[in-house]
Amino acid sequence: MEWEKPFTRRGWSLIPWDYSQEDPLVPQKHYPVVINPRSSETFFLSDMQTFRDQMLEIFAGANTLQRFRFRYIRGRFLSDDGRLFDVKLSGPLRELLRELLDEAASAH
């Protein structure tokens, strides 16, 4: 999976948290994962603190225009055949990204 900021070719790749067995509460997932048409799959990206730290680091160096474009950040998933699919972000995750973006902007 990767994060992609609109109107740019730069993305940030990430390895899902459930790829390794680091957290006893998150079951390990074996990749690649088959996602059938018209179905969904949940992926654990990271623990909350790591996610917050990494996203704040990404947002921290952004200027005003970049911060505006970050409001439309999206997740993309690369399939085995090289096609990119948009990831539907949950409402709470979308809200957290907005909060982190505002936090990074106020610290700048």
Side-chain angles (χ1 to χ4, degrees):
M1 182 170 148
E2 69 178 25
W3 291 110
E4 181 180 276
K5 181 174 58 172
F7 310 112
T8 184
R9 294 177 188 227
R10 182 172 180 209
W12 295 269
S13 296
L14 60 110
I15 297 172
W17 185 254
D18 55 13
Y19 178 74
S20 63
Q21 191 63 51
E22 294 185 30
D23 190 333
L25 299 177
V26 177
Q28 184 176 14
K29 195 172 279 189
H30 298 284
Y31 289 86
V33 173
V34 175
I35 304 173
N36 295 317
R38 293 189 173 88
S39 65
S40 63
E41 185 71 32
T42 299
F43 297 94
F44 291 91
L45 302 178
S46 70
D47 66 293
M48 191 55 73
Q49 190 58 48
T50 302
F51 179 77
R52 291 179 63 81
D53 293 345
Q54 288 178 343
M55 294 313 288
L56 281 172
E57 184 178 319
I58 290 171
F59 295 158
N63 62 33
T64 304
L65 176 60
Q66 291 170 334
R67 281 195 299 272
F68 174 76
R69 290 183 1 208
F70 269 126
R71 293 216 174 267
Y72 302 98
I73 194 170
R74 62 184 175 188
R76 307 276 300 215
F77 195 83
L78 181 66
S79 68
D80 282 342
D81 62 358
R83 293 179 53 194
L84 281 173
F85 294 92
D86 289 335
V87 173
K88 183 177 180 183
L89 302 177
S90 68
L93 179 59
R94 190 80 36 222
E95 182 61 33
L96 175 62
L97 286 169
R98 277 190 217 99
E99 290 171 13
L100 294 173
L101 186 56
D102 291 342
E103 184 178 330
S106 65
H108 186 24

